[in-house]
Amino acid sequence: MSLITFQKPGELAALPPLSLYIHIPWCVRKCPYCDFNSHQAKSDLAEAAYIDALLLDLQTELPNIWGRPVETVFIGGGTPSLFQAASIERLLSGVRALVPLQPQAEITLEANPGTFEKEKFRGFKDAGITRLSIGVQSFNDQALQALGRIHSRHEALAAIDAALALFERVNIDLMYALPRQNMESARQDVHTAIATGAGHRPLGLPGEHELAGHGISYCATCDGAFHRGQSVAVVGGGNVAMDAARTALRMGAESVHVVYRRTR
């Protein structure tokens, strides 16, 4: 599952600020449902060489983005939390040296509960990470096993607790339409996520009342079933989702979260 957010456009007096996505492709084990560019780490990771390559890649893009501030950074994967905190600190230092990263920029790192270490989380915060995105996917142990995840419900809750003790902003990723999942078990995942106190829970659950209480209105085709100025979640993929997102923005949505899921 991936998430793309569109903000409603206005009059552009200047080129808008940027968001930077940084990809770290390695993980402990490749999940069977994953379509992303990710690979099982079979030996020690060449962290220094990879960061060198990332910074060189960013440097080659500088002529296209001169003067545009960067407001958010998202380090995804793979499992970026496999990298050492010192490597993440070096990466962010290199980014700051190349682009005007705003002082209050939100800097997110994806983390797998199965690689959770409290001291490592603390190291990420000291390195400059301001928000952790924890790939829980489900709080049901059977569902996690079916997904090929390396963590359990207990480990997911422990990782969330540790993250909340260190970070003001924590994101929980959930999946829906899992093998043999019914609506009640999907709701249980949502309620468990809400009960943790984490401030951001992106999901693609087709139940409008589940999202409306948290300022997000679900829509499948964006036919106006939301309030102007509200955030809208569009579940789907391809051109249908893009058309729905554009429609929602034209009809007054403040922002649109497009949640992709596999349909094959």
Side-chain angles (χ1 to χ4, degrees):
M1 181 183 295
S2 58
L3 181 71
I4 302 176
T5 300
F6 297 85
Q7 290 296 132
K8 189 173 181 180
E11 295 293 330
L12 294 180
L15 289 174
L18 296 169
S19 293
L20 177 64
Y21 176 78
I22 299 172
H23 191 70
I24 296 178
W26 294 286
C27 48
V28 174
R29 184 172 68 200
K30 177 81 170 180
C31 295
Y33 63 84
C34 181
D35 278 341
F36 295 118
N37 176 18
S38 60
H39 310 275
Q40 181 174 341
K42 298 181 180 180
S43 60
D44 291 340
L45 299 177
E47 298 184 23
Y50 187 71
I51 290 172
D52 287 342
L54 286 172
L55 295 176
L56 179 60
D57 187 45
L58 178 59
Q59 189 172 11
T60 62
E61 291 296 323
L62 292 182
N64 298 320
I65 59 172
W66 283 125
R68 297 176 66 178
V70 174
E71 291 189 337
T72 65
V73 177
F74 192 100
I75 306 173
T79 305
S81 57
L82 286 179
F83 270 32
Q84 298 301 311
S87 296
I88 299 299
E89 182 175 22
R90 177 172 170 254
L91 171 63
L92 293 177
S93 295
V95 169
R96 289 189 178 93
L98 292 171
V99 298
L101 186 61
Q102 298 292 82
Q104 300 302 316
E106 180 180 81
I107 305 175
T108 301
L109 179 84
E110 279 190 333
N112 186 324
T115 62
F116 153 67
E117 296 174 24
K118 188 170 184 178
E119 287 308 309
K120 201 171 187 182
F121 277 15
R122 191 185 307 276
F124 291 143
K125 181 179 181 181
D126 293 342
I129 298 299
T130 64
R131 176 175 173 264
L132 275 187
S133 177
I134 302 178
V136 172
Q137 316 312 350
S138 176
F139 292 99
N140 182 294
D141 283 329
Q142 290 182 327
L144 290 170
Q145 186 176 10
L147 289 170
R149 303 294 290 179
I150 64 172
H151 67 274
S152 66
R153 170 189 173 89
H154 174 76
E155 289 170 322
L157 291 171
I160 293 167
D161 285 344
L164 289 171
L166 292 168
F167 294 89
E168 292 184 7
R169 286 171 284 183
V170 175
N171 168 81
I172 300 173
D173 279 346
L174 294 178
M175 297 178 68
Y176 81 105
L178 304 178
R180 294 179 294 280
Q181 184 186 54
N182 56 33
M183 185 60 73
E184 180 55 32
S185 63
R187 288 195 181 99
Q188 288 176 0
D189 275 347
V190 174
H191 294 320
T192 301
I194 292 171
T196 66
H200 189 198
R201 299 163 291 269
L203 68 159
L205 179 67
E208 181 175 349
H209 64 284
E210 308 286 3
L211 302 177
H214 298 277
I216 300 178
S217 175
Y218 167 81
C219 74
T221 59
C222 289
D223 57 0
F226 58 88
H227 301 294
R228 293 183 64 85
Q230 189 176 32
S231 293
V232 177
V234 178
V235 179
N239 291 332
V240 173
M242 293 296 99
D243 289 344
R246 295 186 188 100
T247 299
L249 289 172
R250 286 197 301 269
M251 297 181 71
E254 177 63 24
S255 63
V256 179
H257 307 279
V258 181
V259 183
Y260 282 95
R261 62 183 178 88
R262 291 182 64 171
T263 56
R264 55 183 170 85

